[in-house]
Amino acid sequence: METKKVAIIVGSLRKESFNRKVANEFIRLAPKSLKLEIVEIKDLTFFNEDVENNPPQSWTDYKNKLDDADAFLFVSPEYNRTLPGVLKNAMEIGARPPKQNSWKGKPGAVATVSPGAIGGLGANQAIRVAAVSLNIPMMQQPEAYIGQIKDKLMEDGVTVNEKTEKFMTDFLTAFEKWIMQLT
Ligand code: FNR
C-alpha cells in the first residue's frame, strides 16, 4: 500500500503542551500506510494581505511543507471556546494567495485536547467551520474530544493510557480509510 504523508498542525506553542504530546502519540500509533509529521507554526509571522504575494521565507517554507502533504491532522487546544489565534493564523497563511491554497481538496481530521471535561468541543467545531472555507474535506466520524487529558497520561507524562491508545488507534484507522478514499 502506498504511504501517505500527513502534516500535523499543533495549535499550541507551549513546550509542555498536552496537544503536542497527543500529536506525538498519534505519530507513534500511526498505521504503516501513514507517515505523520508535525509541521511547525511557531515561526510564522502574523498574516497580512499586503505581503501575501511577496511572503516572508517562514511562510514559504511552511507552505512548501503543506503542499508536500497528502492530508492534514489538526491537534489543538481550545482557547476561550474557540481555536487558538496561532492556529487560525497558520490556516490563513496556508490558504493564501487564493490560487495557492495549500489546503485545497486534501482530506483532514481534527482532535482537540484539554485538561477540562468538554475536550475542546468549541475549538473542534470552530476548526471544522474554518475547514469549509479552506476546502479541506474533514472526516466527520469518529469525533475526537480528548478531555481530562491529565488522567489519560501514564506516569511518564508522555504516553497515553491503554483506553486512550485504543481510541486514538481507531481514530487513525478511520482517518487512514478517509485518506485512501480521497487521494
Ligand atoms: C485556556 N484553556 C481552556 N480550556 C478549555 O477547555 N476551554 C477553553 O475555552 C479554554 N480557554 C483557554 C484560554 C487561554 C488563553 C488559555 C491559555 C487556556 C485551558 C487549556 O485547555 C490548557 O491551558 C491546555 O493545557 C492548553 O493546551 P496545551 O498547551 O497543553 O496543548
Side-chain angles (χ1 to χ4, degrees):
M1 192 186 274
E2 201 190 337
T3 304
K4 301 289 181 183
K5 287 186 192 171
V6 179
I8 307 181
I9 318 294
V10 178
S12 170
L13 307 186
R14 205 167 72 84
K15 262 197 221 121
E16 289 300 315
S17 162
F18 292 119
N19 281 273
R20 181 170 285 266
K21 287 177 183 176
V22 169
N24 282 324
E25 285 290 83
F26 274 126
I27 292 171
R28 180 176 71 84
L29 299 169
K32 279 202 173 67
S33 61
L34 300 183
K35 187 174 181 294
L36 274 62
E37 206 171 300
I38 295 174
V39 170
E40 299 294 345
I41 61 172
K42 68 178 189 324
D43 295 327
L44 298 174
T45 50
F46 282 138
F47 176 75
N48 178 345
E49 205 175 337
D50 287 341
V51 299
E52 68 176 0
N53 289 310
N54 186 20
Q57 191 61 42
S58 64
W59 295 17
T60 307
D61 293 345
Y62 165 71
K63 277 178 71 75
N64 285 341
K65 287 179 190 159
L66 298 185
D67 290 340
D68 195 40
D70 298 299
F72 305 110
L73 173 59
F74 297 94
V75 183
S76 180
E78 174 177 275
Y79 279 2
N80 299 310
R81 300 285 174 262
T82 186
L83 71 163
V86 288
L87 176 56
K88 190 67 175 20
N89 187 53
M91 285 178 163
E92 266 64 284
I93 292 168
R96 302 290 295 196
K99 285 187 180 154
Q100 293 163 41
N101 176 5
S102 301
W103 310 106
K104 191 179 170 185
K106 294 182 186 175
V110 54
T112 45
V113 179
S114 172
I118 308 169
L121 172 86
N124 197 300
Q125 297 298 314
I127 289 165
R128 288 172 185 273
V129 168
V132 174
S133 175
L134 301 177
N135 199 3
I136 302 174
M138 290 294 254
M139 181 172 75
Q140 300 298 304
Q141 294 287 335
E143 293 156 275
Y145 310 110
I146 305 178
Q148 291 170 327
I149 182 63
K150 287 180 191 168
D151 299 339
K152 292 182 171 126
L153 288 175
M154 304 293 280
E155 269 175 21
D156 63 6
V158 177
T159 45
V160 294
N161 65 24
E162 207 176 322
K163 198 172 162 203
T164 308
E165 185 172 303
K166 165 88 172 72
F167 173 81
M168 289 172 66
T169 303
D170 290 348
F171 180 89
L172 285 165
T173 302
F175 191 32
E176 177 191 32
K177 208 170 150 194
W178 183 240
I179 293 170
M180 296 306 171
Q181 260 174 25
L182 295 184
T183 56

